[in-house]
Amino acid sequence: MNDQPPTHVPTAPPRPADWRAILRDLDITPSRRMGQNFLVDTDVLADIVGAARLEPGQTVLEVGPGLGILTTALAEAVGATGRVISVELDRRLADYLPQRFADLPQVRIVQGDILRADIAALVGDAPYVIVANLPYQITSAAFRFFLEHPRPPERMTVLAQHEVAQRICAVPPEMSVLAVAVQFFARPQYVRTVPSAAFVPAPAVQSAILSLDCAAPPLPRARWAGFFALVQAGFGAKRKQIHNSLLDRLRASREQVGAALAAAQIDGMRRAQTLSMDEWLALDAACITLGISRDGAMGRRVGEEAEGDADDAAV
């Protein structure tokens, strides 16, 4: 008698029309409010799993499994010794998916809002990775939730809006609040562009596969708020020189701002988007040394944009 858990992975329908038929059978109309654009392109699927660098036995937390096409590939990648914990907000899909994966004990479907989830209760003590086709409207919130979490993932491999992925991976002189915020916690890599035709229904914009290797932040948690308040102040008017932008938003004199920039070896005539992460960290240290308060510049969390960035692609 074979006591090993079953390892058969359900075959994914090969054509978008087949997925549309499943939606009709389930009487589900994709919800724009929930950002339901279901990935159906198997080539893109393979690239996501490849970028995730999954190994047998790993624990994967999937956000928004939808119809389960990515879940299928994840279950195959981690094998019978791994775990795929898929959190689905839509109750209709959360009821359907356990039937689809009934013979795979390594797949667990959880109905709920990932942004309110108890990560420890979901994954236990094991290290975990995120692999997800994120609804566009929760991209920033998901980055904040996971990257700032006391138990962050080891890696995040996600589908995100093309323009957002580009901005996250930016380098000077194209930095933004979003780029600084994400790169504070992780090393992002733009893997590939994904056309709208890879989804059912097709979104109005292109997507991208984005991989983030999470790392220990360069500052202790107690200093995060002050650091991001400083970054926000610098990007508050991104077309202004950094000296003037800081002067407008910090409770500091012209002499103090000039001294902090000089201590960090930053030319005050530069603009915020030209500063590297190391320069922001040096400027933060200089502000602390000089006793410059950042309380007047309300700090943001990961992924939130300054008003001056509103003309860029919105998150």
Side-chain angles (χ1 to χ4, degrees), residues 2-314:
N2 185 3
D3 294 329
Q4 294 297 316
T7 57
H8 169 67
V9 177
T11 303
R15 301 176 304 162
D18 297 319
W19 290 106
R20 293 189 182 94
I22 292 174
L23 288 170
R24 287 195 299 271
D25 290 344
L26 296 173
D27 194 25
I28 292 176
T29 300
S31 167
R32 180 175 296 182
R33 180 181 61 82
M34 291 186 183
Q36 289 180 326
N37 300 99
F38 303 118
L39 176 69
V40 296
D41 188 303
T42 54
D43 290 335
V44 174
L45 190 75
D47 289 339
I48 294 172
V49 176
R53 309 194 302 275
L54 298 176
E55 297 179 357
Q58 278 191 295
T59 295
V60 179
L61 183 56
E62 182 188 17
V63 181
L67 293 169
I69 182 171
L70 181 55
T71 315
T72 299
L74 297 177
E76 185 174 42
V78 303
T81 60
R83 292 189 299 162
V84 179
I85 302 154
S86 301
V87 181
E88 174 57 55
L89 180 62
D90 191 322
R91 290 186 179 275
R92 301 165 300 176
L93 292 171
D95 289 341
Y96 157 72
L97 290 169
Q99 304 169 43
R100 176 171 169 76
F101 296 101
D103 62 346
L104 288 179
Q106 71 263 45
V107 176
R108 176 186 170 200
I109 307 299
V110 178
Q111 192 281 321
D113 182 349
I114 190 61
L115 300 181
R116 300 177 182 273
D118 182 339
I119 298 301
L122 289 174
V123 302
D125 297 328
Y128 69 101
V129 297
I130 300 287
V131 184
N133 175 17
L134 288 176
Y136 291 150
Q137 64 265 38
I138 73 162
T139 300
S140 293
F143 283 138
R144 289 197 301 271
F145 181 75
F146 287 114
L147 294 179
E148 293 185 352
H149 199 279
R151 286 206 51 210
E154 292 184 326
R155 184 180 307 113
M156 296 181 69
T157 305
V158 301
L159 277 166
Q161 188 174 337
H162 166 68
E163 291 83 357
V164 172
Q166 284 187 316
R167 290 164 66 203
I168 287 173
C169 297
V171 298
E174 302 295 336
M175 296 294 282
S176 65
V177 173
L178 180 61
V180 174
V182 173
Q183 291 176 30
F184 184 84
F185 296 96
R187 296 183 298 274
Q189 179 184 2
Y190 189 103
V191 178
R192 61 159 288 186
T193 302
V194 178
S196 298
F199 301 88
V200 171
V205 296
Q206 287 189 320
S207 301
I209 301 173
L210 180 66
S211 180
L212 299 95
D213 287 324
C214 301
L219 296 175
R221 185 177 288 268
R223 287 180 56 186
W224 292 1
F227 176 78
F228 288 115
L230 175 66
V231 172
Q232 178 190 344
F235 278 97
K238 68 177 184 177
R239 291 176 180 82
K240 283 189 176 182
Q241 296 171 356
I242 186 70
H243 181 279
N244 293 333
S245 188
L246 294 174
L247 188 61
D248 285 348
R249 287 163 176 79
L250 295 181
R251 294 173 181 172
S253 67
R254 182 176 298 275
E255 290 73 21
Q256 285 178 307
V257 170
L261 289 166
Q265 300 183 13
I266 297 170
D267 183 345
M269 296 181 68
R270 290 169 59 187
R271 287 172 170 76
Q273 59 265 37
T274 71
L275 270 61
S276 68
M277 180 66 73
D278 286 343
E279 287 176 316
W280 282 114
L281 291 168
L283 184 57
D284 178 69
C287 287
I288 291 175
T289 299
L290 293 168
I292 296 176
S293 171
R294 277 77 50 86
D295 293 343
M298 183 179 60
R300 285 188 173 85
R301 293 158 61 193
V302 175
E304 292 185 300
E305 292 295 317
E307 182 178 352
D309 288 336
D311 54 344
D312 294 337

